[in-house]
């Protein structure tokens, strides 16, 4: 009996059955045994299953295409924003490297690039302060050097005058 059910099932799944009520339509039979020993058979037209599968396939492809376009747009916007920010940082860093200590990085925003820009602004301000301090010290050192040179010249002239007077005092014949 069990073997006969399998043969019937295979025959129904693989062959077309044409009945007057089918009107030439191909139908498919699915079989499933129940726990009570009965069998459940479902007969339905293949064209309906195919139409449903095609509709679901089209819907899934449309959803996938939409998701792909949205994802691509988001990636493009993020990439463009990062490229602009990094380009701006590169330009500012080039100017800073060329000696322009008044450079200000664009630190607007709340992302990592803005945070790095804030840190670079602090660094540039620190460099400005150090360079200003060095300039002041350099000017002060130059003033001290000038004072020392002037003092040396005066002292040297005084020494030369004293030395001449001593020589004159020691050698009255030279006069």
């Amino acid at each position: 009996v069990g073997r006969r059910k399998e043969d019937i099932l295979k025959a129904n799944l693989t062959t077309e059955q044409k009945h007057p009520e089918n009107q030439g339509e191909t139908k498919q039979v699915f079989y499933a045994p129940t726990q009570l020993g009965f069998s459940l058979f479902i007969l339905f037209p293949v064209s309906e299953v195919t139409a449903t599968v095609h509709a679901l396939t089209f819907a899934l492809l449309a959803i996938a295409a939409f998701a792909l376009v949205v994802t691509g747009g988001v990636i493009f916007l993020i990439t463009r924003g990062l490229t602009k920010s990094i380009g701006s940082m590169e330009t500012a860093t080039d100017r800073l490297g060329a000696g322009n200590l008044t450079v200000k990085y664009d630190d607007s925003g709340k992302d990592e690039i803005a945070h790095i820009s804030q840190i670079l602004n602090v660094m540039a301000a620190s460099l400005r302060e150090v360079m200003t301090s060095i300039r002041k010290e350099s000017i002060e050192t130059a003033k001290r050097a000038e004072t020392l040179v002037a003092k040396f010249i005066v002292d040297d002239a005084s020494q030369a005058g004293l030395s001449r007077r001593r020589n004159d005092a020691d050698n009255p014949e030279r006069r």
Side-chain angles (χ1 to χ4, degrees):
V1 177
R3 182 76 177 138
R4 183 162 159 85
K5 283 184 187 178
E6 287 179 22
D7 292 339
I8 291 172
L9 179 62
K10 285 180 185 177
N12 284 330
L13 289 176
T14 59
T15 61
E16 294 183 16
Q17 304 224 352
K18 295 186 179 178
H19 298 285
E21 69 270 2
N22 290 349
Q23 300 170 356
E25 196 173 57
T26 303
K27 295 200 176 193
Q28 188 101 25
V29 173
F30 286 96
Y31 160 82
T34 64
Q35 291 179 354
L36 299 175
F38 296 104
S39 296
L40 178 63
F41 289 90
I42 299 176
L43 178 71
F44 56 91
V46 172
S47 61
E48 287 183 28
V49 173
T50 306
T52 303
V53 168
H54 288 296
L56 288 174
T57 302
F58 178 77
L60 289 175
L61 286 174
I63 290 170
F66 177 75
L68 184 64
V69 167
V70 168
T71 302
V74 168
I75 289 172
F76 173 76
L77 292 175
I78 290 171
T79 303
R80 189 178 70 173
L82 286 174
T83 303
K84 278 184 173 182
S85 296
I86 291 172
S88 172
M89 286 178 71
E90 180 182 14
T91 302
T93 303
D94 286 343
R95 289 188 357 234
L96 183 65
N100 182 357
L101 298 178
T102 61
V103 168
K104 175 97 169 86
Y105 290 89
D106 181 15
D107 59 0
S108 60
K110 296 181 180 178
D111 59 355
E112 290 81 6
I113 301 291
H115 180 69
I116 291 170
S117 294
Q118 289 170 351
I119 292 169
L120 288 172
N121 281 333
V122 170
M123 181 193 72
S126 178
L127 283 172
R128 274 192 302 273
E129 290 174 14
V130 168
M131 291 304 291
T132 301
S133 175
I134 289 172
R135 282 188 192 120
K136 286 180 183 177
E137 288 294 323
S138 174
I139 291 169
E140 187 64 31
T141 302
K143 286 180 183 179
R144 287 182 186 161
E146 287 175 7
T147 303
L148 285 174
V149 168
K151 188 175 179 181
F152 176 74
I153 292 172
V154 169
D155 284 348
D156 193 36
S158 299
Q159 277 306 86
L162 278 174
S163 183
R164 233 181 286 138
R165 281 186 225 146
R166 283 188 192 148
N167 285 340
D168 288 343
D170 291 340
N171 295 324
E173 298 168 358
R174 284 183 119 186
R175 285 190 198 175

